[in-house]
Amino acid sequence: MKTYWQNYIDGAWCDGGAGRIDVINPGTGEKLAEQALADAGDVDRAVMAARRVHMSGDLSDLRPVERGRMVQAMGRFLLDHIDEIAPVLTLEQGKPLWEARIEVEGAARYFEYYGNQAETVEGRSIPLGKDYFDFTTYEPFGVSAQIIPWNYPVEMTARSLSAALA
C-alpha cells in the first residue's frame, strides 16, 4: 500500500492545504498511511473545477451512448482492480476481505447499471392542443457534493457519481 495518498483536484494529484491525517488500521491501531487533508481552499478549487467542466458541456454534450460507455468503464476498472482495492478497504476499515470485495463489486454494479441507463434518459412530449406542442428535456443542474460514510466509501461514492455522470 502507498504510504501517502493525495487528493485529486482539477485533473491533478495534490497535497492538502490542511496538511496530512493519519490513516489507522482499526484492528491493530497501527498507522497505515497518510492522507492529504483538504481545507476550504481545496474544496473551493474542486468545486470551481467541477463547475467549469459542467459549464463547458464536455460531459452533458456527449452522446448518451458515449457517456454510458464512460460510466460502464469505471465499473470495469473497479472489477479489474478488485485485488488491489479490497485489501486496502479491509486494512482501512477493519472489515473482512470478503465484505470489502462485495463492496467493490457493488460499486461496480452501480456504474454498470447507470451506464446502461444513460441512453434511456428521455424527455416527454406533451400535447397542448392544436398548433401547440410542449416537450421536456432533462439536464444536469450543476455541481453536487456528497458526504460519504466511513464504512462503505467506495460503494456510496459509486452510487452518487454513477447516476450523476450518466
Side-chain angles (χ1 to χ4, degrees), residues 10-146:
D10 199 10
W13 294 102
C14 58
D15 293 332
R20 298 179 178 196
I21 188 169
D22 291 342
V23 179
I24 305 297
N25 180 333
T28 66
E30 294 177 33
K31 178 178 169 180
L32 293 171
E34 293 178 315
Q35 168 66 51
L37 187 58
D39 64 9
D42 296 320
V43 173
D44 288 344
R45 285 188 308 114
V47 169
M48 295 301 287
R51 180 155 175 73
R52 189 175 63 251
V53 170
H54 170 69
M55 297 304 289
S56 75
D58 287 346
L59 290 175
S60 56
D61 290 349
L62 281 176
R63 294 186 65 215
V65 65
E66 293 302 323
R67 205 168 44 253
R69 287 176 182 154
M70 176 189 69
V71 173
Q72 291 169 3
M74 294 173 184
R76 284 192 302 278
F77 179 89
L78 291 174
L79 293 176
D80 289 346
H81 293 87
I82 193 169
D83 292 332
E84 301 161 43
I85 298 168
V88 172
L89 290 175
T90 292
L91 291 172
E92 186 251 347
Q93 297 171 13
K95 65 174 57 176
L97 183 58
W98 63 266
E99 187 175 346
R101 291 182 66 85
I102 288 172
E103 179 179 349
V104 175
E105 291 166 352
R109 184 67 187 112
Y110 279 114
F111 285 111
E112 292 166 347
Y113 176 81
Y114 285 108
N116 286 330
Q117 295 299 309
E119 290 185 89
T120 67
V121 178
E122 299 173 346
R124 290 183 41 197
S125 298
I126 306 164
L128 296 177
K130 185 176 189 248
D131 297 327
Y132 290 95
F133 192 73
D134 190 22
F135 66 93
T136 61
T137 59
Y138 296 104
E139 299 176 359
F141 288 116
V143 177
S144 68
Q146 293 76 40

